[in-house]
Amino acid sequence: MSISNEQAQAYWRENLRIIMTHLAIWFVVSYGCAILFVEQLNEIPFFGFPLGFWFGQQGSIFVFVILIWTYVFSMNKLDEKYDVHE
Amino acid sequence: MSLDVLTFLFVGGSFALYIGIAIWARAGSTKEFYVAGGGVPPIANGMATAADWMSAASFISLAGLVSFIGRDGSAYLMGWTGGYVLLALLLAPYLRKFGKFTVPDFIGDRYYSQTARVIAVACTIVISFTYVAGQMRGVGIVFSRYLHVDINTGVIIGMAIVFFYAVLGGMKGITYTQVAQYCVLILAFTVPALFLSAQVTGHILPQIGLGATLDSGMSVLATLDQLSVDLGFSQYTSGKKSTIDIFCLTVALMCGTAGLPHVIVRFFTVPRVKDARISAGYALIFIALLYTAIPGVAGFGRVNLIQTLNGADGSGASYEALKTEAKWFQQWENTGLIGWNDRNGDGKVQYAAGDAFNGAKGKPAFLEDRGEYGQRLATNAKDDAEFDANKQPFANEVYVDRDIMVLANPDIAQLPNWVIALVAAGAVAAALSTAAGLLLVISTAISHDLMKKTINPNISDKQELLYARLAAIVAICIAGYFGINPPGFVAQVVALAFGLACASVFPAIIMGIFWTRHNSQGAIAGMLVGLVSTMCYMYYFAFGSGTPDQYFLGISPGGFGTVGAVLHIIVGFVVSSMTAAPPKEIQEIVADLRIPRGATEAHDH
């Protein structure tokens, strides 16, 4: 391994932070908007959809796609920063 | 050209393409057979993953399911896509860095235990077999409906094709065939979806069309709610299941998706850790193209179905008229997936809430005889015409199998014949691509994880490849057997596959990566607890004497994998904490797989 132990730990901590932020959004759009608070959000009309219903059937999927890609870009940047990229 | 000729051309042409690719991409070594040589470009891997993942269930059944259960279908839509976020963030990059061939490889090495490896092999085989049976059945349904062959002959043709390219090409052949299959299946799903959306709403994109306003001044969803309520169904945009049940079902489907061995193995085929993350991103884009179209297809299909069956004035369509104007009705009746029981004797088909037949889920048990209009008679037809007049205008007389929605949609909407032929080719592509991926996982589990790593480590690469091919042949035959003699509980069995993946494989991998201190005792105890609790719960409610009011916290068997996973984590944590820490070299392996640099090609030793 080319990097020191402290650096490896710092890299891992930052990695965990990136993962946690992404998973927090992932949780809010799917479990939050489409399941736990679906009734409240359904009161809000959104381009012809009740908002909660839209999150469950369309919105969350769009957000999932965006999440994976922002994760990919953040991790590529992080790998370069710690010089662990391939 | 007639529909039959077109269907032969489309399905036959796609078969020729798959076989051509299989010959071009033959596998020469175990590495090519297991992980396609480890050199698949991420975008191709993304397409292959998408085709691998989107099975007959996604292509044929899911839109039908959403169409009939409305908002509760969100659990499946989110569960089967959200799992990719978990896969990309928590599993794929680390497993790729680990650099072996299979899931049991990871579990066996990380927990330095043959017992753990064997448990993982058992999970892999059970999960994959339950899945593959459903695929073969899907092929059978398509063949019997469009090519007028017997369902069993259809299954055998499907087996022969998969045999050819899975046994010959291994992962290499499968990967490139799956790229072609993805293209076929996405075209086959989107083209009719665009047609339907344009026809019903004037918007070409179903994602937007579902929110559109119709000529009547009401939105599509409001129309659906209205139609559903008028006929005694529950509102389309509101749910029937309890919040905790939907919550647990979604968790189980998401974690199950991320724990399915045939999906995970796809991330071993790319050259670098970076590519593993990117592949997951591509895969989800390709999956989302189909999944975001599903709610539209489901909604428009539902409106069309209700309006066709109940006629323009909503009082019912005459069966005689349907025979010429909506031929699909009788064609699907002939395959046994639609049934009509003229309960009020007016010769008209009426569709509303309730069952028209006494079978489980209202299924008819057909006789050979035909009734006065030429309809199929059943032994279990309800002979009264009772209904709750406060809720609906008439008694339901129709049984419609949910699985026909996607296949029948182009017929119902009277789209051109070539679209119908394309849908048939797409459904076959979806079923075959998934079946091939699963068969490969089964054969790898047997030749690599059992033969090479557990029973006889001294076999040569050539012998191992031979075992892999033999195992694939046996697996295809068993899968074909289940396709021809399907267990009558396919839905429960598929729920079991997800529950098992969620309760056993997924937590074991996650804990292995994110908790260095986790040891073999903890992992084995955790996997067993997750596995046994989930299996017992599902068995008790699916085959035992369990009734829904006995559900634990109101959680249905499909969502119980979530509880199993929680138990797995708690037991694993407690047992691990009470026993010795894992050896130093294992802790170093974990530290190493967290750093991307230095990922070697997927290797054996």
Side-chain angles (χ1 to χ4, degrees):
Chain A
M1 220 182 296
S2 59
I3 61 166
S4 73
N5 233 338
E6 285 105 68
Q7 263 196 312
Q9 279 177 7
Y11 169 81
W12 185 245
R13 269 197 303 275
E14 281 205 50
N15 177 14
L16 288 182
R17 202 166 55 232
I18 294 174
I19 293 177
M20 291 319 289
T21 1
H22 281 81
L23 285 186
I25 302 173
W26 164 85
F27 185 85
V28 169
V29 292
S30 50
Y31 297 93
C33 299
I35 297 177
L36 298 174
F37 299 105
V38 63
E39 300 296 348
Q40 290 86 331
L41 288 177
N42 270 352
E43 301 298 318
I44 307 169
F46 180 79
F47 293 103
F49 292 88
L51 188 57
F53 180 85
W54 181 80
F55 265 111
Q57 306 229 326
Q58 311 254 272
S60 56
I61 302 177
F62 295 131
V63 177
F64 295 154
V65 172
I66 297 168
L67 278 177
I68 295 191
W69 283 97
T70 57
Y71 169 75
V72 166
F73 290 122
S74 328
M75 286 309 286
N76 286 350
K77 241 176 44 208
L78 188 70
D79 289 353
E80 303 236 341
K81 180 174 160 196
Y82 283 90
D83 193 30
V84 292
H85 57 283
E86 298 148 278
Chain B
M1 260 190 281
S2 79
L3 177 58
D4 287 351
V5 177
L6 277 167
T7 312
F8 271 112
L9 277 179
F10 274 68
V11 175
S14 64
F15 279 3
L17 177 68
Y18 307 151
I19 291 174
I21 294 173
I23 294 172
W24 168 74
R26 283 185 314 276
S29 66
T30 46
K31 202 178 134 195
E32 285 189 341
F33 194 89
Y34 294 149
V35 293
V40 180
I43 193 158
N45 192 45
M47 283 195 195
T49 310
D52 204 338
W53 171 236
M54 291 191 287
S55 57
S58 294
F59 190 94
I60 302 179
S61 306
L62 186 52
L65 189 71
V66 175
S67 191
F68 282 79
I69 67 176
R71 191 182 87 199
D72 285 343
S74 305
Y76 296 90
L77 290 163
M78 292 193 294
W80 287 341
T81 51
Y84 274 83
V85 178
L86 298 176
L87 202 54
L89 270 58
L90 303 177
L91 278 91
Y94 311 107
L95 291 176
R96 174 63 196 87
K97 175 65 195 292
F98 180 71
K100 295 286 175 74
F101 291 150
T102 65
V103 171
D105 257 344
F106 176 80
I107 294 193
D109 287 9
R110 165 63 181 84
Y111 297 118
Y112 47 99
S113 154
Q114 291 295 13
T115 318
R117 189 190 303 273
V118 172
I119 296 175
V121 171
C123 293
T124 303
I125 292 178
V126 172
I127 293 169
S128 304
F129 263 125
T130 51
Y131 231 85
V132 86
Q135 307 309 318
M136 287 300 175
R137 195 66 192 163
V139 176
I141 291 181
V142 173
F143 273 91
S144 73
R145 166 66 183 82
Y146 292 102
L147 300 177
H148 312 293
V149 297
D150 184 51
I151 289 196
N152 297 350
T153 319
V155 171
I156 290 168
I157 297 174
M159 280 165 65
I161 301 281
V162 174
F163 173 84
F164 196 79
Y165 67 77
V167 174
L168 198 67
M171 187 56 129
K172 200 173 163 206
I174 286 178
T175 302
Y176 292 102
T177 332
Q178 280 172 338
V179 172
Q181 282 163 335
Y182 176 76
C183 299
V184 173
L185 83 85
I186 196 70
L187 260 181
F189 199 87
T190 352
V191 168
L194 300 181
F195 265 108
L196 264 176
S197 181
Q199 203 181 53
V200 176
T201 69
H203 287 280
I204 185 136
L205 289 177
Q207 289 85 346
I208 297 173
L210 189 60
T213 306
L214 298 174
D215 295 337
S216 61
M218 272 185 7
S219 71
V220 178
L221 290 168
T223 311
L224 264 169
D225 279 344
Q226 186 71 52
L227 281 172
S228 307
V229 172
D230 286 350
L231 295 173
F233 298 103
S234 59
Q235 258 196 3
Y236 192 79
T237 57
S238 60
K240 252 170 130 177
K241 294 189 179 170
S242 70
T243 303
I244 185 168
D245 195 16
I246 285 282
F247 191 98
C248 288
L249 179 60
T250 312
V251 175
L253 293 173
M254 282 195 188
C255 299
T257 299
L260 286 181
H262 72 286
V263 177
I264 294 176
V265 73
R266 294 241 47 106
F267 295 94
F268 294 106
T269 63
V270 291
R272 295 172 303 175
V273 171
K274 199 174 151 185
D275 301 324
R277 298 185 197 125
I278 297 175
S279 304
Y282 280 123
L284 191 59
I285 289 185
F286 294 134
I287 293 168
L289 279 178
L290 192 142
Y291 269 63
T292 55
I294 284 178
V297 171
F300 309 142
R302 184 96 182 132
V303 173
N304 278 346
L305 178 79
I306 292 175
Q307 290 178 343
T308 311
L309 292 187
N310 286 341
D313 60 352
S315 70
S318 104
Y319 187 80
E320 288 294 340
L322 285 182
K323 270 200 255 178
T324 50
E325 285 157 25
K327 287 201 183 102
W328 56 270
F329 190 82
Q330 210 179 27
Q331 282 161 342
W332 283 106
E333 192 183 5
N334 290 339
T335 59
L337 298 175
I338 277 185
W340 177 51
N341 167 18
D342 193 10
R343 290 162 74 184
N344 56 9
D346 63 355
K348 284 189 189 171
V349 173
Q350 275 126 359
Y351 179 57
D355 291 336
F357 299 90
N358 285 320
K361 293 190 176 174
K363 264 193 185 151
F366 284 117
L367 295 159
E368 286 302 310
D369 304 334
R370 299 270 169 169
E372 58 174 312
Y373 305 100
Q375 83 271 33
R376 294 184 75 174
L377 295 178
T379 54
N380 58 355
K382 285 198 174 172
D383 40 19
D384 58 61
E386 277 168 32
F387 61 96
D388 182 353
N390 292 324
K391 284 190 178 155
Q392 56 195 81
F394 36 65
N396 179 36
E397 299 185 341
V398 194
Y399 166 76
V400 183
D401 192 296
R402 290 169 178 176
D403 284 349
I404 68 168
M405 277 309 281
V406 165
L407 298 173
N409 243 335
D411 279 325
I412 301 176
Q414 300 174 331
L415 299 182
N417 276 345
W418 65 268
V419 177
I420 302 172
L422 183 63
V423 171
V428 175
L432 290 184
S433 60
T434 307
L438 289 162
L439 290 169
L440 190 83
V441 164
I442 297 171
S443 79
T444 312
I446 291 170
S447 67
H448 181 73
D449 299 319
L450 269 188
M451 292 305 297
K452 173 93 179 172
K453 289 296 182 76
T454 314
I455 297 172
N456 181 5
N458 298 323
I459 54 174
S460 69
D461 194 64
K462 251 206 163 117
Q463 280 172 307
E464 194 184 335
L465 193 58
L466 180 69
Y467 281 122
R469 289 195 159 121
L470 285 177
I473 293 173
V474 175
I476 289 173
C477 295
I478 299 178
Y481 173 82
F482 283 123
I484 293 171
N485 306 298
F489 41 85
V490 172
Q492 286 96 321
V493 172
V494 170
L496 182 71
F498 277 93
L500 291 185
C502 171
S504 59
V505 178
F506 180 74
I509 298 178
I510 295 287
M511 289 175 93
I513 296 167
F514 289 87
W515 193 37
T516 318
R517 175 68 177 68
H518 203 26
N519 63 18
S520 66
Q521 292 90 332
I524 293 171
M527 281 197 284
L528 287 178
V529 166
L531 200 67
V532 172
S533 61
T534 309
M535 278 179 96
C536 291
Y537 192 81
M538 289 189 174
Y539 184 85
Y540 180 65
F541 286 107
F543 311 109
S545 57
T547 52
D549 53 301
Q550 294 173 311
Y551 283 166
F552 173 70
L553 298 176
I555 299 168
S556 59
F560 194 79
T562 307
V563 181
V566 172
L567 292 175
H568 176 156
I569 293 170
I570 295 171
V571 170
F573 183 80
V574 170
V575 173
S576 245
S577 306
M578 291 189 321
T579 44
K584 201 157 183 315
E585 63 268 22
I586 298 294
Q587 302 196 19
E588 275 163 15
I589 291 179
V590 179
D592 185 57
L593 64 84
R594 294 176 173 183
I595 307 292
R597 178 167 294 172
T600 45
E601 292 177 336
H603 55 72
D604 215 355
H605 303 289

